[in-house]
Amino acid sequence: QVQLLESGGGSVQVGGSLRLSCTGTGFSFNNACMGWFRQSPGKEREGVAVIGSRNQPTHADSVKGRFSISQESAKNKLFLQMNNLKPEDTAIYYCAADFSPSWGVCTLADRWYSSWGQGTQVTASS
């Protein structure tokens, strides 16, 4: 069965960096959009970055230039490099998979993603 497991979260100072990892089992990245989403207390879940089987990344405007999504598809591994972290980046970060992408294009809208990891906490404090 499908399983996603995140790692790499933690607490850093504002301006610091973290690298999140996600390992998928039970499916192939070649048939999916993979994404990172985050949710802060009292706020709705938002898409951070997604990437498709053709390695086309999309990043939310709020993280462009600071975060970078990447994958090692053959190993079913997904990464999120987070640089210059800000307090507003503090959230639980989730790895997710969409198994029915439209023409290989991946969306930041979370409703399309059917499989989710447990999440990993990221805290950036000043």
Side-chain angles (χ1 to χ4, degrees):
Q1 58 270 52
V2 173
Q3 184 175 347
L4 297 170
L5 180 62
E6 305 97 334
S7 63
S11 182
V12 299
Q13 293 183 328
V14 171
S17 298
L18 284 172
R19 184 175 175 84
L20 305 184
S21 298
C22 172
T23 300
T25 57
F27 72 102
S28 173
F29 278 26
N30 291 329
N31 300 319
C33 291
M34 301 301 300
W36 290 100
F37 299 79
R38 67 187 182 187
Q39 188 165 27
S40 300
K43 298 182 179 180
E44 66 182 9
R45 188 165 58 193
E46 64 175 343
V48 176
V50 297
I51 190 166
S53 61
R54 295 188 177 183
N55 217 34
Q56 175 63 38
T58 300
H59 298 85
D61 289 342
S62 60
V63 305
K64 285 181 179 177
R66 299 188 299 116
F67 292 10
S68 180
I69 189 172
S70 61
Q71 63 186 349
E72 295 180 15
S73 297
K75 297 181 179 180
N76 273 21
K77 292 186 179 294
L78 180 73
F79 306 97
L80 184 68
Q81 180 66 46
M82 304 185 294
N83 298 324
N84 192 23
L85 282 159
K86 301 177 179 180
E88 52 263 44
D89 296 319
T90 296
I92 300 175
Y93 283 70
Y94 299 91
C95 173
D98 169 16
F99 301 114
S100 299
S102 298
W103 295 94
V105 178
C106 302
T107 178
L108 288 165
D110 61 359
R111 68 181 183 273
W112 299 107
Y113 293 77
S114 59
S115 296
W116 296 81
Q118 293 293 314
T120 185
Q121 177 70 45
V122 171
T123 302
S125 59
S126 60

